[in-house]
Structures are given as C-alpha cells and as structure tokens.
Amino acid sequence: MPTLSSPSLSVRDLTRSLAASLLSPETGDAVPRDVAIGLFRRHLARFQASVREEFEAHRLHGASAAKQLAHYTDGMIRTLVDFTMAHALDFAPGSGRPVLAVAATGGYGRGMLAPFSDIDLLFLTPDEPSADVSRVVEYILYFLWDLGLKVGHATRSIPQCIAEAEADTTVRTTLLDARLLAGDDALFAMFEARYIVACVEAGAARFITDKRKERTARHHRFGDSPYLVEPNVKEGRGGLRDLQTLYWMCRYTFGTRHVSDLLAPGFSSLGLLTEQEAKRARRSWNFLWSVRLHLHYISGRAEERLTFDVQPVVGARMGYTRHGRQVGVERFMRHYFLTVREVMRLTHVLEPAVMRQALGPTANAPQADAAMRDAGFTVLDGQILPERGTSFDAEPIQMMRLLEWARTRKLPIHPLAMHKLIRWERRAASLRGNPEAARIFLDLLCGAPPERAPRPAPAADGAGTPREEAPSFHATAEDRRQGNAYWLHIMNETGIMGRLMPDWSRIVGQMQFDTYHVFTVDEHTIEAIRIFGRIEHGAMADEIPLAYDLARNLQSRRALYMAILLHDVAKGRGGDHSELGSEIALEVCPEMGLTGEETETVSWLVLHHLLLSQTAFQRDIDDPKTILDLADTIQSPERLRLLLLLTIVDMRAVSPRVWNAWKATLLHELYMRVAEVLEGGLATTERDVRVARAKDAVGEILAEDGFTPGESEHFLGLGYGSYWLSFDQDTHARHALLIRESERRDSPLTVETQPLPTRGVTEVTIYTADHPGLFSRIAGALAIAGASIVDARIHTLINGMALDTFWIQDASGEAFEEPHQLARLSALVEQTLSGRMDIAREIGGIGRMRHGRRMRAIHVPPRVVIDNRASNSYTVIEVNGRDRPGLLHDVTQAISDHKLQIASAHITTYGVRAVDVFYVKDLFGLKITDEHRLTEIREALIHGLRQAEEAATSDVEVPPVETLSI
C-alpha cells in the first residue's frame, strides 16, 4: 500500500483497487450487494486504520489527518456512486442514467472529516426527483448505513436549495461549502452559479448577523466562558466552530474559499494579519484538530468534550509530561487555554473588519474631540484607536492611556487598536514601576467608588432577586465597559497583564485538575473582581446582603481589590500558594503604587484568604477557643471585614453552585462572633456565666409557653454546659417541647424535621437512648435517603438520652422541604435504628454508580490530621477522602469502634473531595493524648479511606497516604 506521505497517489490507487474488486474478473459483472458491502467495509477499515496509525505516530497533525480522511471518503463515495449507477441498478431501456449530482456539504464539504463525524451529502437534481433518482439515492444511503457510517443527507433541486437557504441560515451555511463528489458536472456548476447569485442578492449583512446570533446562543449553551476546565473543543468559545464562523464570514465578504486560506500568510495582504500572526492562528487550528481527533479515537465516538477522564490520556498522547512541579495534564490544558485565547484574538481582529466591509460604517458614531486627538487617539466607527503616528513601540505608556480614554469615554476598542495592543504587548514590560502606568492600572482595577446609598429593598411579593448568572464574556455593551472586570479581560487577552506583572503570566490558562474549580486560575480571579464590583454597586445586595453592607464602609478599598487580584497568583508553583502569594504581594504592590500600609494589608489578606472558610466549614465555631484563636490572628475589625469580603467573592467566583445559604449562614455567624470578641463583647465572658444566661433566657420562654416550674426545671437540668452554648434560645425551647412530648408518650425514638430554606438546610433532631455507634447509624440512614450532612451537634444528656441535631441538604445543595421527603427521612432513621435495615447493603447499592468515569479520573489522596491544639476540650480529627454515599457512616463507625464520643461534626465537600472534621473525647470525657492510641485511630481511618479510593480508581495507583498529628 502506498504511504500516506503521497496522499493523492494513495487515494487514487486504493480507489482503483476497490473499483476493480467490485467486478468479477471472469465475467466483468458486478459482485452481489453483500459481497460489495464486505469489500467496501474492508476498504473503509483499511484507510481509517492507516490514517489513525499515521496520526498517532505523529507523522500527521490533526488538520492533515482530517483532510486525509475526507480524501479517502471522497474516493469511496465516488466509487459507490459509479457502482450504483453503472452496475448495481438496472434502469429502463433508453432512459439512460438519471441526472444527479452528489455533493459533500457542511464540514465534509470543507474537505475535513473527523473519525466519527457525520458524512453530510446533498443529492442534487434538476427538478423533482424521478423514481430512478429515488432508487439511486436510496441504494447509496442504505449502503452507507450498512457500512456503519452516520450520514446526514438531503435531496433537493436547485430552486429548492435556494429557497431553503433563504429561509434557514443553517442550510445556507451548509450549502456554502458544497463540493462536487460525483455525478453531473454541468448540473452542479449550474447550482454553484445560481447559488452565488442568490447569496450576492441576499447580501452579507443578514448572514453575518444571523451567524453572530447563532454563535452567541452556542456559547451560552456550552458554558459561555472559554476557560471552563472541561471545555467543548468543537462548540465551546475559542474552539473550532469559532474559527469556522470566521471563515464563513470571510467567505461571504472577501471570497475566502477554505479555512486554510483564512490562516495562510497570504491573507495578511488585507492588512489585518501579519505573517507571524497567521502562523500562530494556523498552529491553533492544527492543535485544536489534533485534540479533536484524539478525543474521537479515545472515545470511539464523536466526543467533543474534553472531560477529566480523557484529559490525561489526550495530554500523554500529545507528548505532555511532567515538567518540574507541573504534571503533564495541567501543561496540556494550559496549552489548550492559551490556544483558545489565540482564537479569540483572531476574532477580535478579523470580525469587526468583516462587519465594516459587509455592513458599512456605523451611523451617528461619536467623534474624537481635541483633547483626545492631542493625547494621540481618534475615533473610527464609534471605536477608539491610536492616531496615525502614535507608536506603542516608541511610547508603551500609550497602551495604558488608550485603555484609560476608552474607559473614561465609554468607547469600545477598535479592532485595529486591539491588533496593535496584541502586537506590541511585550513592550508593556518596560512599564513596570512606571507611576503613570501603575495609576492607570489601579484605576482600571478598582473602578470608580460607588455612591454611598442605602441597600436596595427586597423585591415585592417575596420574589427576591434571582441568582445572578455570569454574563457573556468579552461583551462590548456599554454597561460591561463600565465594569472593571471588562478591562482586566482586555489586558489579560492582549497579554499586557502578564507583561506588567510577570507573576500573573504564570497563572494564565492554569487549571487545577479537580472537580471543584470550573475556571482557570486567571479567569477565576477576574470573575472574583467582577463579583466584588457588583457587590459594591448593590447589584447582589439581595443575594449577599452582609457583603454589600460591609463593602459600603471600606477604608482599604484599593488594598482589597489588589488582594483579590493576587490571592491565587502563586497557584501551580508547589508549596502553600497563600504563603508564596503573600511574598509576591510584597514585591508587586509597591510597583503598582500602593503605600506601605496597603502593601502590608494585601500581603496579610493573601496569606490568610482561606482562614475564614476553613474555620467556618471545618471547625466548631461554638468552641470559644476557635473564636479566640481567630480573633488573635485577625486582631482588627477592618481586617475582619476585608477578609470576609475576600472569602465571599473567592467562593462565589469558583461557581454559583459553590455558594449557598448554609455557607453564608456559617460565615455570617463566624463573622459576628469574631467581631464581638474584637469589640470586647460577651464572647469573652466566662463559660459558666454564658451558660447561666442561656438557661435564664430559655426559662422565660418556657414559662410563656405554658411549662410548669417542674417541667422547666427538669429540662434545664438535662444538658451539660456545651449544650447550652451550642444553640440559640428558640432552638432550646423547641428541644424542650420535643423532650416533654417524647417523655409523655414514653417514645423510644423521636425524630423532628424542620426545613430552613433561608439557610439552605433542613434540621433533623433525634431524641433517643444513647448507645455506641448511634451517630454512624443515623449517618447511614441519611445517606440512604440521599441527604448530605453539612453539620452535626451530638449531645448526651444527664438522663442517658442522646439529643443529636443534623443539618442536611439534598443533592443540589438545597433544603429538604417536601412532606414526602421529610416523612421518608423519619422512616429511614426509625428503620435503621430499630435494626430493620441493612445499612451496608443499602449504601453499597446507591454508591456504586455515584461517580462516573470522569469523576474517577480525579485522584483524591487520603489524608488524616489529628489536632490536639485546636480545642481546649476536644481532640479534633480531620479526614480527607473521596466523597461518596456512606463515607460519613464508615468514618464515624471506625471512630465509634475505638470507644470515642463525637461531640460535633463538620462536613465540607470540594468537588469529589470531602473534608470531615470531628470533635471527639474518650469515654472519660478527656482528650486523646496517648500516641499509641492515636496511631491506632489513624490506621483504622486510613484503612477505610484507602479501600474506598482503590475501589473508585481500581486502575490508578494510589499514592502514599499523608497523616499528620499536631
């Protein structure tokens, strides 16, 4: 077989060989249909395997391999059409062959084909298809389907093609790429001539407008951001479809015939792309096609989404290996994100030029005034650009001034200006330490301070404000240009940000191979800036009211914006990114014009930006030592406000789904308690005094609710001190009522469920006889019900009864509210505690398919931390492992087996990783200090975590477990 290095010879020889095999060597008659299918199938398998072998051996890049597949498919279909017309079918004597043209359309029409893509065919007829034409079309289609190919097809006359294209932009786009494969040449030439005339008469304006609308809808459907960590290579922003959309626009406007023409150096003759830029665009085209072909070959189907499970495989196939601290998959994905940025740059440069050519200059556009012209800028089509003679190379500061003028005058940036910013971005490196550049950068980063106004009132009728969705990225609407995140996007995409701050360039396109973060590090940071800007201006006051109230009274606004910008700047370097980032802040902030005080504040905020979230979600905030330790670290009410705002925008920018009412509640409670300590309030009073005050308050409520003095005294004597400090007085009163009713009925088990939708949880209170393993069994029952426990308080009363409270959420992170859900929760708890349910079997059934293959691709290193310093009264056990149904049941069972009492549990999930924290004592009510016993506890927990991880990733080697004792 000829090699693929000479594709035309290979296609010709293979096609001739196939055609010859379809005729009997003895008689010259056609072989039977089933024999023909076998011959075609072997031919198909042969050329597909050859292309795959050449591609995977890196002798062909992706675009070339796609062209080869199209070439071979062309030859196969031509042979099939000839075989059908000349041999397979008999036509009426004297009628001759039917007049028919078979054309490739869509992606196949452009001469490129992915391994498992559809083969789009147009059967073109001069008028309504005759019976003979219908027989030919039917024979060919059924033949291709029997080969296992996916075929998109249409049978139309020339007038029908033109009418359909006029009515539907998708059809017009498909026919734009029509390419003759076989059949009547004159008929297809007539179609091309009439179709071109029809397109010219229709004009490019409507087509381009429709394609832009179609692209916007597609971007919204596939996630809108180009920096999603599981991108769609074909349809996502910055993907292949965006390049194809540019091709279609250019085809209409400039007569560009193929995407290769668009990316060729010759296209620079239009004055829009240099040869170097065209070369980078061509590399992007080849890279994306290579990724797409690998996806198809790995998946064995037309898979276009680069999911977690295939990212390491594609990266390894393309030669990405570990480099320093960065693993191969992260290097591969960073290259992917930098590539889509190149595609977006190409769009910025070419699309406006196409639109100007097609639509003409903008009517009633603003004009430049004398001050702007004196500064070296002008306005064209309502967009700002440098005056002739203004050189970014000679005066790099003009790049920053351009952005400042654009923001001040609320003007979009002209594509020629974008082109120059991208071309000369390397000169921005000379602006480091330049006071004017630093001032402009801070102005763009922080924006104008909002006017101090009261917080907007909630919407009428309780409608509230719906959860805000991230807007389309890189929009040019005037309201977006007023936002500071818009200008950061411009500086990031042009590369100016990375030149001004070299540390920033290291996080551009940097992803984290986990299921918690949905954006790259740079995009997450800019999203956090955008969210804080919206909080400042009251746009999210209903969703995050505390944040808005705090943001209105900031004394260190610039420092907070800079801390948000730098909080993740050291990710991907190894080590603690908070510590490394705080050191970077000490270097960057003075260069950006911040004072020494502001620099110190930024460095401190970056160092501690995870402190509040880790404390709120992983520690017992009812433990006085937790609050006092936190207050000792923070020390200042202003720092507390800044840290809370940084925490909120950091979490909210990860994903709207990460932030919920329960987390907001915990952070609010933590903030209030620390603020109280910093102000010298009641939180510092003696424990016994606080317990007495709590009892007095509850006693007054019980008296009002009709409790007799004896009943009140009985309840107030049941709880130990920790119980009275764990709940508010209203909850204590509810517990009193629950216990009184349970004792009157002599009930062995009482379960109360109370939805708390404003906090995003349902509170489950269980009153029953205490016994070892109770927590574990309840956790198992709740897991079977599909509930996730986010917090728990465990109290044994002096009468030997357990009063356990669990706060739970459903799979979507919301409260259980429906009556049938609450009834099922109570029933499952009762069945489990009565021994009528096999917990292990039930959990095994629901957990087997919890996470698919893409989730299993994420390795979760098991980790156990035992801390005897976090609390004065308890040993704190922190367990990190893969989240799964029944994890809490298994962990608490192991804790119970070692004769430990759980006082509280705090559960947080980060994608597929769960962090479960338990405050425990031994049976004598003391902390566990014996090292031998601590070792046994660790080993028991580790054993369960290792088993779970090995079961989830049986084909992945599990690394050593990390254990710590503090």
Side-chain angles (χ1 to χ4, degrees):
M1 170 184 171
T3 66
L4 293 175
S5 60
S6 52
S8 59
L9 177 63
S10 180
V11 171
R12 183 170 61 250
D13 288 353
L14 278 177
T15 303
R16 286 175 177 174
S17 175
L18 173 63
S21 67
L22 294 172
L23 302 178
S24 171
E26 292 82 12
T27 64
D29 296 332
V31 298
R33 183 179 185 277
D34 57 341
V35 175
I37 286 177
L39 292 170
F40 270 89
R41 188 173 284 127
R42 284 193 291 274
H43 173 80
L44 178 65
R46 185 180 181 185
F47 79 69
Q48 285 181 335
S50 298
V51 173
R52 179 171 183 172
E53 179 183 352
E54 294 290 307
F55 172 69
E56 293 182 343
H58 304 290
R59 291 189 289 269
L60 278 178
H61 57 63
S64 297
K67 290 177 183 177
Q68 290 282 45
L69 286 171
H71 284 320
Y72 282 113
T73 304
D74 289 352
M76 183 183 70
I77 290 179
R78 290 190 186 105
T79 302
L80 175 59
V81 173
D82 290 342
F83 176 73
T84 303
M85 303 277 271
H87 303 287
L89 297 178
D90 295 325
F91 303 106
S95 63
R97 290 189 181 185
V99 179
L100 175 71
V102 181
T105 60
Y108 179 38
R110 291 188 295 276
M112 304 187 79
L113 196 62
F116 292 94
S117 291
D118 292 2
I119 298 173
D120 294 324
L121 297 177
L122 169 66
F123 296 94
L124 186 66
T125 63
D127 43 37
E128 288 295 324
S130 65
D132 284 344
V133 168
S134 297
R135 288 176 61 211
V136 171
V137 172
E138 183 177 314
Y139 187 92
I140 292 173
L141 289 176
Y142 276 98
F143 200 101
L144 292 173
W145 288 333
D146 286 343
L147 291 177
L149 297 173
K150 293 185 294 182
V151 183
H153 62 94
T155 303
R156 297 190 182 104
S157 64
I158 295 177
Q160 286 174 333
C161 287
I162 294 173
E164 289 285 340
E166 176 63 26
D168 189 337
T169 303
T170 302
V171 175
R172 186 190 298 195
T173 306
T174 300
L175 294 179
L176 193 66
D177 298 312
R179 177 172 56 87
L180 180 65
L181 294 176
D184 195 296
D185 293 347
L187 176 63
F188 187 77
M190 183 185 300
F191 158 75
E192 280 193 310
R194 292 186 59 184
Y195 187 70
I196 290 172
V197 170
C199 288
V200 171
E201 290 177 348
R206 177 185 157 197
F207 177 79
I208 291 175
T209 300
D210 288 345
K211 296 311 293 183
R212 296 182 76 214
K213 290 180 180 177
E214 179 185 280
R215 182 182 59 195
T216 299
R218 170 170 52 81
H219 287 168
H220 188 68
R221 190 166 64 252
F222 288 95
D224 222 9
S225 171
Y227 303 112
L228 296 172
V229 294
E230 288 189 303
N232 189 297
V233 176
K234 179 182 177 183
E235 305 288 358
R237 184 182 287 273
L240 284 167
R241 187 67 82 199
D242 278 4
L243 277 172
Q244 290 163 352
T245 299
L246 276 179
Y247 150 70
W248 289 319
M249 291 180 177
C250 291
R251 174 86 188 278
Y252 243 90
T253 307
F254 302 115
T256 305
R257 182 64 182 88
H258 297 294
V259 177
S260 58
D261 299 330
L262 171 65
L263 304 181
F267 197 73
S268 61
S269 62
L270 293 173
L272 297 177
L273 292 183
T274 66
E275 292 191 7
Q276 183 64 29
E277 289 161 344
K279 182 179 179 181
R280 288 202 302 269
R282 189 163 50 252
R283 281 202 303 264
S284 300
W285 176 250
N286 287 329
F287 176 82
L288 291 173
W289 265 106
S290 294
V291 173
R292 189 183 182 202
L293 261 67
H294 279 300
L295 270 175
H296 280 221
Y297 284 134
I298 291 167
S299 305
R301 63 180 186 276
E303 178 59 65
E304 312 295 353
R305 191 180 177 207
L306 200 53
T307 53
F308 286 122
D309 56 316
V310 297
Q311 286 173 10
V313 184
V314 175
R317 281 170 167 245
M318 294 182 69
Y320 292 87
T321 57
R322 175 181 285 275
H323 182 75
R325 295 182 180 274
Q326 196 171 34
V327 296
V329 63
E330 292 182 351
R331 292 183 62 228
F332 161 61
M333 291 304 297
R334 185 162 192 257
H335 189 177
Y336 174 85
F337 291 121
L338 293 176
T339 298
V340 300
R341 187 176 73 164
E342 284 294 334
V343 174
M344 290 158 56
R345 285 178 168 185
L346 189 65
T347 301
H348 282 314
V349 170
L350 287 180
E351 182 178 322
V354 173
M355 292 182 64
R356 177 177 172 81
Q357 181 77 15
L359 308 180
T362 305
N364 301 320
Q367 300 297 318
D369 55 23
M372 183 181 292
R373 286 193 294 270
D374 289 343
F377 306 107
T378 188
V379 176
L380 179 63
D381 297 338
Q383 303 168 94
I384 189 171
L385 76 163
E387 284 264 40
R388 191 181 302 273
T390 299
S391 170
F392 290 164
D393 184 24
E395 292 184 276
I397 190 63
Q398 288 291 80
M399 291 189 283
M400 300 300 293
R401 291 171 181 165
L402 172 74
L403 299 177
E404 183 178 35
W405 275 99
R407 182 178 73 91
T408 303
R409 297 299 177 88
K410 301 177 183 176
L411 292 171
I413 298 174
H414 194 279
L416 292 177
M418 286 291 294
H419 195 197
K420 289 188 175 183
L421 288 173
I422 292 169
R423 182 174 295 174
W424 297 109
E425 48 91 8
R426 67 180 184 278
R427 295 288 289 125
S430 65
L431 299 177
R432 295 173 203 159
N434 182 303
E436 184 181 359
R439 176 190 62 77
I440 296 174
F441 178 83
L442 283 178
D443 287 345
L444 295 173
L445 170 66
C446 303
E451 294 182 4
R452 303 306 181 194
R455 178 158 58 90
D461 302 324
T465 300
R467 180 175 293 275
E468 184 233 13
E469 294 183 2
S472 295
F473 284 70
H474 320 296
T476 55
E478 184 174 312
D479 60 333
R480 287 302 312 281
R481 291 196 298 276
Q482 294 177 19
N484 39 11
Y486 173 80
W487 303 107
L488 295 184
H489 274 303
I490 294 294
M491 288 191 286
N492 192 35
E493 286 176 18
T494 57
I496 293 174
M497 281 268 284
R499 297 295 183 174
L500 282 176
M501 294 190 299
D503 292 293
W504 176 269
S505 66
R506 298 181 63 169
I507 61 170
V508 174
Q510 174 70 42
M511 70 165 285
Q512 298 169 85
F513 194 59
D514 60 38
T515 58
Y516 180 64
H517 298 89
V518 299
F519 296 121
T520 55
V521 179
D522 58 324
E523 192 65 24
H524 158 76
T525 301
I526 296 175
E527 177 68 0
I529 294 286
R530 185 187 73 84
I531 288 172
F532 182 61
R534 291 180 60 79
I535 288 174
E536 267 199 309
H537 288 82
M540 302 174 72
D542 286 342
E543 182 182 341
I544 317 175
L546 175 62
Y548 174 67
D549 291 337
L550 293 178
R552 292 172 58 221
N553 299 295
L554 280 182
Q555 304 299 316
S556 308
R557 185 169 176 269
R558 293 201 314 176
L560 180 55
Y561 266 108
M562 187 59 77
I564 297 172
L565 185 72
L566 298 178
H567 77 279
D568 279 345
V569 75
K571 278 195 170 178
R573 303 192 185 197
D576 187 328
H577 77 279
S578 300
E579 294 181 2
L580 295 174
S582 69
E583 295 173 3
I584 292 171
L586 293 175
E587 299 175 2
V588 170
C589 291
E591 289 185 354
M592 290 300 170
L594 270 65
T595 66
E597 179 186 354
E598 289 174 319
T599 297
E600 181 186 2
T601 299
V602 173
S603 178
W604 185 90
L605 287 171
V606 173
L607 177 63
H608 295 291
H609 74 272
L610 297 175
L611 179 63
L612 287 184
S613 59
Q614 289 177 340
T615 303
F617 310 142
Q618 300 175 22
R619 290 296 181 264
D620 186 355
I621 63 176
D622 290 320
D623 187 330
K625 189 174 188 302
T626 299
I627 305 302
L628 293 172
D629 287 348
L630 201 57
D632 188 53
T633 300
I634 296 173
Q635 297 183 345
S636 156
E638 174 71 0
R639 279 188 171 181
L640 176 62
R641 288 190 288 270
L642 295 171
L643 193 58
L644 179 62
L645 286 168
L646 175 55
T647 301
I648 289 173
V649 299
D650 185 20
M651 291 181 59
R652 183 63 174 74
V654 170
S655 164
R657 290 175 295 181
V658 167
W659 180 261
N660 57 41
W662 174 248
K663 291 178 179 178
T665 299
L666 290 180
L667 283 172
H668 183 270
E669 290 181 1
L670 179 62
Y671 169 80
M672 297 304 293
R673 295 184 188 193
V674 176
E676 196 175 16
V677 172
L678 293 175
E679 294 167 5
L682 291 177
T684 57
T685 57
E686 292 297 327
R687 176 184 175 92
D688 292 344
V689 174
R690 296 175 62 208
V691 169
R693 288 178 177 173
K695 287 186 176 183
D696 291 342
V698 174
E700 293 178 3
I701 294 177
L702 295 183
E704 294 174 359
D705 289 346
F707 276 66
T708 66
E711 289 173 334
S712 295
E713 185 178 353
H714 170 67
F715 173 71
L716 295 175
L718 287 177
Y720 294 98
S722 60
Y723 168 75
W724 298 107
L725 299 178
S726 296
F727 301 97
D728 58 33
Q729 58 194 31
D730 292 333
T731 304
H732 285 140
R734 283 196 295 106
H735 289 170
L737 183 61
L738 179 147
I739 292 173
R740 185 178 68 175
E741 294 302 314
S742 177
E743 291 177 345
R744 284 179 178 176
R745 297 194 311 267
D746 196 22
S747 173
L749 171 66
T750 301
V751 181
E752 179 185 87
T753 56
Q754 181 176 16
L756 303 173
T758 58
R759 300 172 69 181
V761 293
T762 296
E763 183 176 296
V764 180
T765 305
I766 299 171
Y767 183 66
T768 189
D770 194 19
H771 59 79
L774 177 63
F775 186 114
S776 177
R777 299 181 70 82
I778 296 173
L782 295 176
I784 295 168
S788 296
I789 300 172
V790 295
D791 213 343
R793 295 288 186 277
I794 311 302
H795 295 283
T796 301
L797 307 181
I798 63 173
N799 60 358
M801 299 291 283
L803 184 62
D804 296 348
T805 305
F806 298 82
W807 289 271
I808 63 172
Q809 294 177 330
D810 61 18
S812 61
E814 303 293 339
F816 286 83
E817 296 186 66
E818 297 299 325
H820 71 275
Q821 293 177 315
L822 302 177
R824 183 168 182 264
L825 282 170
S826 299
L828 286 172
V829 170
E830 190 276 328
Q831 292 174 31
T832 301
L833 295 185
S834 64
R836 291 185 284 120
M837 179 176 291
D838 187 332
I839 298 177
R841 182 172 61 83
E842 295 292 334
I843 289 177
I846 63 172
R848 195 167 295 115
M849 300 303 294
R850 171 70 177 271
H851 294 305
R853 181 179 174 184
R854 56 182 287 270
M855 294 294 103
R856 296 198 303 271
I858 307 298
H859 177 59
V860 183
R863 183 168 180 258
V864 177
V865 179
I866 300 181
D867 189 347
N868 265 320
R869 296 183 305 186
S871 172
N872 290 329
S873 306
Y874 300 95
T875 293
V876 178
I877 300 177
E878 178 182 316
V879 177
N880 292 249
R882 179 177 296 276
D883 187 30
R884 59 182 173 83
L887 172 65
L888 192 57
H889 166 268
D890 294 347
V891 170
T892 52
Q893 184 62 55
I895 292 174
S896 177
D897 289 345
H898 283 79
K899 312 300 183 189
L900 301 179
Q901 303 178 78
I902 299 173
S904 66
H906 314 273
I907 291 84
T908 310
T909 56
Y910 302 91
V912 296
R913 181 169 64 95
V915 180
D916 297 349
V917 178
F918 306 91
Y919 281 65
V920 302
K921 290 182 177 180
D922 63 16
L923 293 179
F924 300 102
L926 303 174
K927 297 168 76 170
I928 300 91
T929 56
D930 180 70
E931 192 60 40
H932 176 71
R933 191 173 182 196
L934 290 174
T935 300
E936 290 182 342
I937 296 169
R938 275 196 298 269
E939 290 177 351
L941 294 171
I942 288 167
H943 178 70
L945 293 173
R946 287 187 67 89
Q947 283 188 323
E949 183 65 9
E950 289 168 358
T953 57
S954 56
D955 56 339
V956 178
E957 182 181 353
V958 180
V961 178
E962 181 180 356
T963 64
L964 299 174
S965 180
I966 300 176

